[in-house]
Amino acid sequence: MGSLSLLPVAGARTEATTQEEQASRVSSRCLEPWTPGALDIHHISTGRGNVAFLVCPDRTTILIDAGALHAASDWGSDEKYRIQPLPDASLRPGQWIARYIARHMPAGRKPAIDYFILTHLHPDHMGGVDLLSHRKIMSRFGGYELTGVMDVHEEIPIRKILDRGYPDYSYPLPLVDPHQRNYRAFIASFLRNGGIVERFAAGSSNQIRLLHSGHGAHPDFIVQNLCANGRVWSGRGEDAEETFPSLDRLEKADYPTENKCSVAMRLAFGSFRYFSGGDMDHDTAYGRLPWGNIEARVARASGPVDVAMANHHGYVNACGPEWVAALRPRAFIISAWDSAHPTIPALDNMLSRQLYDQPRDVFSTALKPENIIATKRLHEIQSGSGHVIVRVAPGGDDFKIAITSNRDESDRIIAQFGPYHTTEKSLNS
Ligand SMILES: [Zn+2]
């Protein structure tokens, strides 16, 4: 790997941006284990793709994405633009993720991931294959190469998978690039071995449920599926509406992209709200394809949240003004692996007091040193390196954010923010 060191920006807060919340620096403490009734959302910093591991109030575990870009060769992107693998390149990103999850599996249950939710079929979200054939490492379950979520499943069993493509993986065109073929071989093997796979159902509020509490034990915990393949929750019951034109009205070159087809969800726990929308964006081809602003549509369906994952890693075509103004989160979290994560316009929007006039904090799992030079306002964000853990107190009335070391497996706390108080929001709007 290159010799560039990642700037340890954690706590890059300046006097000018200090809000009422105090960041307490702790150098020797480690993250306390999850406790029953709390909700933990771990944004794991591998420098190689998105991954969020959730421990729900009743011990239900959810994994949203498990990306893994190889050190070389895949996906037409040059290594020099990428963030170095974290903690290092001695293991594959998916192996580091599995080890992280094993450390944070809640006590009192069998280690397993109840739900794996794939936002869309790109390597930085599901795991990419190594196109240099001499390094292929195959699963012991057979038929597919180990990477990303497949590496996780090799160590910790996944019970159910939800994605945008099952069962035919054919919208808007057959999903058959080498990475997608590998993932589909994994799905086929997973099904043969008794796993359950479903298409992510836009509009549903009971496809993802708590599984380890008695019926009705946590009525205030609801995962609302907002969107998949351009179908967006209408806000009425489980109803969803098509927002993409039918394909027969589009030129092939204008078909919805893989990113635009991302799934999005809003998790509610008491008055706490969390938004996650994969890589959806707002690119309308200069107004020619107005339906392309899918992220604005989805953000309006969501309404305000406390914590939002930045769409598309904060890239130039995502986190637009309408998305920011509709979600108005107290905290943004960017999952970064490239020198353009985040870009200047996306960060400007996230920081804009014109779009909403409340305080907000921004956290990135990692930053490329070159980006810190190019994107000057990165000095205004709270953290630029480390795992970002959102810990919501039982009942959902407040939450804290802890940054832990991504250099090793110590879970040492680098900085803490909050508590932030959640306020009652109407569920829709
Ligand atoms: Zn991505």
Side-chain angles (χ1 to χ4, degrees):
M1 289 308 306
S3 58
L4 287 169
S5 65
L6 271 181
L7 196 68
V9 183
R13 167 188 297 257
T14 64
E15 285 309 310
T17 60
T18 300
Q19 312 293 351
E20 62 270 26
E21 276 71 28
Q22 295 295 312
S24 52
R25 298 298 161 72
V26 194
S27 58
S28 57
R29 276 184 48 215
C30 294
L31 188 71
E32 301 278 340
W34 169 89
T35 52
L39 165 67
D40 280 2
I41 309 174
H42 299 261
H43 304 86
I44 304 172
S45 170
T46 67
R48 292 279 143 168
N50 279 42
V51 50
F53 175 61
L54 287 71
V55 179
C56 300
D58 74 334
R59 296 183 170 80
T60 298
T61 51
I62 301 173
L63 186 62
I64 305 173
D65 290 338
L69 291 168
H70 274 287
S73 85
D74 60 358
W75 217 29
S77 179
D78 196 304
E79 187 63 16
K80 69 172 174 276
Y81 300 117
R82 292 184 182 168
I83 291 165
Q84 64 188 46
L86 296 163
D88 59 43
S90 64
L91 295 176
R92 296 183 296 279
Q95 293 177 300
W96 286 120
I97 294 167
R99 291 164 66 102
Y100 186 101
I101 292 171
R103 288 202 306 282
H104 296 280
M105 189 58 66
R109 64 158 294 164
K110 268 190 176 165
I113 293 159
D114 294 310
Y115 296 96
F116 172 66
I117 304 165
L118 179 62
T119 60
H120 63 297
L121 282 81
H122 273 163
D124 57 322
H125 297 259
M126 66 187 182
V129 295
D130 194 331
L131 300 176
L132 304 173
S133 58
H134 62 274
R135 291 188 60 228
K136 284 196 188 307
I137 297 164
M138 303 302 286
S139 168
R140 65 193 155 96
F141 303 118
Y144 58 91
E145 195 176 333
L146 288 178
T147 175
V149 63
M150 293 143 264
D151 259 322
V152 174
H153 181 62
E154 199 80 358
E155 305 296 331
I156 303 170
I158 294 170
R159 304 280 187 230
K160 187 184 247 190
I161 296 176
L162 308 178
D163 67 28
R164 76 167 196 85
Y166 182 80
D168 50 316
Y169 297 95
S170 65
Y171 180 84
L173 289 166
L175 302 174
V176 291
D177 79 22
H179 314 292
Q180 293 163 344
R181 281 184 190 280
N182 189 59
Y183 172 77
R184 291 175 63 180
F186 160 61
I187 291 295
S189 161
F190 183 76
L191 289 165
R192 275 197 304 277
N193 289 302
I196 301 165
V197 187
E198 293 175 3
R199 180 175 290 206
F200 187 89
S204 174
S205 57
N206 62 33
Q207 194 177 25
I208 302 153
R209 282 168 299 165
L210 297 183
L211 301 174
H212 299 272
S213 48
H215 184 68
H218 291 281
D220 55 348
F221 185 98
I222 300 164
V223 180
Q224 174 68 55
N225 296 7
L226 296 173
C227 178
N229 301 321
R231 273 181 70 79
V232 180
W233 181 46
S234 70
R236 297 181 301 275
E238 306 232 316
D239 186 44
E241 298 163 344
E242 301 288 351
T243 69
F244 294 164
S246 73
L247 298 181
D248 54 21
R249 288 168 42 211
L250 290 174
E251 299 289 332
K252 223 175 196 177
D254 292 336
Y255 277 7
T257 61
E258 184 62 32
N259 287 344
K260 286 191 194 298
C261 291
S262 288
V263 312
M265 70 209 86
R266 184 195 64 194
L267 185 156
F269 179 37
S271 53
F272 173 81
R273 301 281 182 278
Y274 173 79
F275 174 90
S276 178
D279 282 0
M280 55 181 52
D281 61 43
H282 58 71
D283 186 354
T284 61
Y286 301 102
R288 191 168 55 81
L289 309 170
W291 51 268
N293 193 352
I294 180 68
E295 68 166 12
R297 182 77 185 242
V298 171
R300 286 194 293 271
S302 164
V305 298
D306 298 282
V307 178
M309 280 293 294
N311 286 341
H312 200 196
H313 324 276
Y315 196 60
V316 67
N317 59 1
C319 308
E322 293 157 288
W323 179 82
V324 170
L327 294 182
R328 31 199 335 118
R330 186 63 184 83
F332 291 95
I333 297 171
I334 301 162
S335 181
W337 55 262
D338 182 270
S339 54
H341 296 163
T343 50
I344 289 170
L347 184 63
D348 274 352
N349 294 336
M350 288 186 253
L351 294 172
S352 170
R353 286 289 191 133
Q354 294 180 68
L355 294 174
Y356 67 104
D357 191 26
Q358 278 106 36
R360 80 290 309 263
D361 292 343
V362 181
F363 304 89
S364 187
T365 55
L367 291 171
K368 188 84 173 162
E370 291 82 344
N371 194 14
I372 297 167
I373 304 300
T375 306
K376 297 181 188 66
R377 292 193 77 186
L378 280 171
H379 74 82
E380 295 177 46
I381 78 170
Q382 274 58 43
S383 171
S385 183
H387 308 300
V388 181
I389 298 106
V390 178
R391 176 159 284 179
V392 188
D397 288 342
D398 51 73
F399 65 98
K400 293 179 179 175
I401 293 180
I403 311 302
T404 63
S405 173
N406 56 12
R407 299 303 189 92
D408 53 40
E409 296 184 309
S410 66
D411 296 314
R412 185 171 54 81
I413 294 175
I414 296 165
Q416 280 196 98
F417 302 88
Y420 306 93
H421 300 291
T422 62
T423 51
E424 203 56 53
K425 308 161 194 71
S426 68
L427 269 176
N428 180 33
S429 88

